[in-house]
Amino acid sequence: MNSPLLPIAHAVSRWRDDPCSRGGWSLLRPGGTPATRAALGQPFGRVIIAGEATSPEQAGMAHSAFDEGRRAARWCIAQGLQDVAVLGAGAAGIGAARSLKDAGVRVLLLEARGRIGGRAWSVELPSGGASRVVMELGANWLQQGARNTLAPVAEAIGCRLVPTDFHRPLELGQPAGVGPETTGAVMAQLHARVDQATASGDRPLAEVVDAFLAHPHPFDRETVQRVVDSEVLLDTGAPLGELSARLGFEAGVGAGDRWIASGYRSVLGALAEGLDLRLDCSVSRIRWSDDGVQLDHADGTLEADAVIVTVPAAVLQEDRPQFEPPLPAPQRAALSLLTAGRVEKAALVFSERWWPRSADGYIRIADGAGRISEWLDLSDALGVPAITAIFVGDWARELWDGHDDASVAARVAAVLQGASDSQSVRAPTQS
Ligand SMILES: Cc1cc2nc3c(=O)[nH]c(=O)nc-3n(C[C@H](O)[C@H](O)[C@H](O)COP(=O)(O)OP(=O)(O)OC[C@H]3O[C@@H](n4cnc5c(N)ncnc54)[C@H](O)[C@@H]3O)c2cc1C
């Protein structure tokens, strides 16, 4: 008989290796600002780039990508364009194509992968007998409460939305020993140090953090390191040397976040209904001018009045697709100021729940080195022993690289088992 400690079903992301994503979400390098993102999203000729990376104020989220896609569509509509191609069927591309179609514009949505959703990727796993459970390998939560424009869509189609309180994790594994008050105090001091260190210009966040670790008073070094790991690294997955000290960690989660029981796919699928969609159609070259565009793909060339490009910034940085003539200088400069972190997820289904219960399913696990992973236990909400794990940075690299999916799933399950067995389970802090 199989051990209940091993998953009966699993799915594992490969965002870093995937040529259609090349990492998690966009982050600002030293010198990057909201204007960087706005510059990337400025139209040139009959081309406009849109996606989470072009959102000046709320980058890195599915609803911001959706909003940016709709912004690009408004530009096409204002130009009176009749025939528009959209590259990429993630939240931005679907938002763009939906708006254009609803406005009576002819629109063709071209997607390189064999599925829609992009970095919102809901998978369906067997959960015993004939039943199945939907879990997320990419975007999980509808974030930012009332500011989230996908939430009303989810509500309108009757999705069940489950709240998560990120401020009340069940902490497993090595005791972090850092409560919310100390975390707040360390972050306040980090921000003050950033302000001081960048008064005459931005610099890598690593420089400010290293100086803080060298002189951590009134905290100790370990406390500062743990807070940085949980508040910055977990939200970015990127080496601190690559991040802007001023803006490398932007506000995201925190208030009114909810996840979709039927998955992001139910929301994006509803929005994509009736669109002219071509899957498995990777565009390799965009020839553009002030009069129109030609798009090369494996089966030939397409012409359109304009193109909305929603390919992730990390993919554009690899010159995919190629632009002819090359991207204008402002867009190239903007791309050079962006990076993306290493963020991976594993979705695991078990025959029974053997790990501790968290009030609303949110768990954080720290290892001996103080590295932190995030978990969402779906068991109570869905009635199936299922849990999703998020690993970032070095820990993701260690668990993932060189291992096949089944082995990654087993290694991730072992992290949960080790943490569940340890004596250091801390109850969530009462608010
Ligand atoms: C692990 C993880 C967890 C996340 N968690 C959350 C969360 O909880 N909440 C949240 O709001 N956001 C979250 N995000 C971020 C969110 O997923 C993204 O910001 C959002 O989905 C990006 O949408 P997009 O349309 O800009 O890009 P994408 O979704 O990446 O869409 C771009 C599309 O372009 C396609 N493409 C690429 N190259 C080509 C080509 N040459 N030709 C044609 N098509 C091409 C890709 O296949 C893809 O479908 C998470 C992301 C990750 C990776």
Side-chain angles (χ1 to χ4, degrees), residues 164-406:
T164 299
D165 183 351
F166 290 95
H167 303 292
R168 288 170 35 94
L170 173 69
E171 291 183 0
L172 303 178
Q174 292 299 313
V178 186
E181 267 174 35
T182 307
T183 299
V186 170
M187 286 308 285
Q189 182 159 152
L190 177 61
H191 282 293
R193 283 170 176 262
V194 163
D195 288 347
Q196 205 179 21
T198 61
S200 56
D202 201 3
R203 56 180 62 216
L205 181 58
E207 287 181 17
V208 183
V209 169
D210 287 350
F212 197 175
L213 289 170
H215 301 286
H217 183 76
F219 312 103
D220 58 52
R221 190 184 156 90
E222 198 191 5
T223 302
V224 173
Q225 186 68 62
R226 292 206 164 178
V227 172
V228 170
D229 282 350
S230 69
E231 302 305 302
V232 181
L233 191 60
L234 196 56
D235 266 359
T236 62
L240 303 188
E242 281 184 23
L243 297 179
S244 152
R246 276 186 185 152
L247 294 158
F249 48 114
E250 296 161 280
V253 302
D257 297 341
R258 295 174 292 171
W259 55 274
I260 311 163
S262 51
Y264 256 95
R265 70 173 191 179
S266 52
V267 178
L268 294 178
L271 286 164
E273 233 164 74
L275 294 176
D276 192 356
L277 166 70
R278 214 170 281 183
L279 294 175
D280 297 309
C281 182
S282 176
V283 171
S284 54
R285 185 165 59 162
I286 298 175
R287 277 171 284 169
W288 60 276
S289 70
D290 288 340
D291 301 320
V293 293
Q294 291 181 322
L295 312 174
D296 293 348
H297 57 94
D299 299 326
T301 299
L302 282 158
E303 295 197 357
D305 290 344
V307 63
I308 297 176
V309 179
T310 73
V311 171
V315 177
L316 292 175
Q317 283 168 338
E318 294 184 341
D319 282 331
R320 288 179 299 111
Q322 270 182 3
F323 286 84
E324 201 179 298
L327 280 175
Q331 278 76 10
R332 273 186 285 133
L335 282 177
S336 73
L337 290 171
L338 293 172
T339 185
R342 176 82 193 253
V343 186
E344 303 292 359
K345 287 177 79 168
L348 309 176
V349 182
F350 294 88
S351 54
E352 60 190 66
R353 176 165 65 191
W354 42 260
W355 56 92
R357 190 171 170 277
S358 150
D360 58 3
Y362 185 59
I363 298 173
R364 282 182 171 198
I365 295 179
D367 74 350
R371 299 179 301 187
I372 295 164
S373 55
E374 232 177 3
W375 301 68
L376 180 66
D377 181 1
L378 312 175
S379 314
D380 283 338
L382 301 186
V384 173
I387 190 161
T388 309
I390 307 175
F391 285 85
V392 300
D394 279 348
W395 206 358
R397 218 179 336 274
E398 265 175 45
L399 288 168
W400 259 250
D401 290 359
H403 298 278
D404 63 18
D405 287 3

Side-chain angles (χ1 to χ4, degrees), residues 15 20 23-25 51-52 60-63 65 87-93 110-113 117-120 137-141 143 264 281-283 310-312 315 321 343 345:
W15 296 115
C20 291
W25 47 88
E52 56 84 13
M61 289 175 276
H63 65 286
L87 247 68
L110 305 169
E111 168 54 49
R113 294 184 175 110
R119 282 169 283 169
L137 287 184
N140 215 123
W141 288 273
Q143 295 175 329
Y264 256 95
C281 182
S282 176
V283 171
T310 73
V311 171
V315 177
V343 186
K345 287 177 79 168

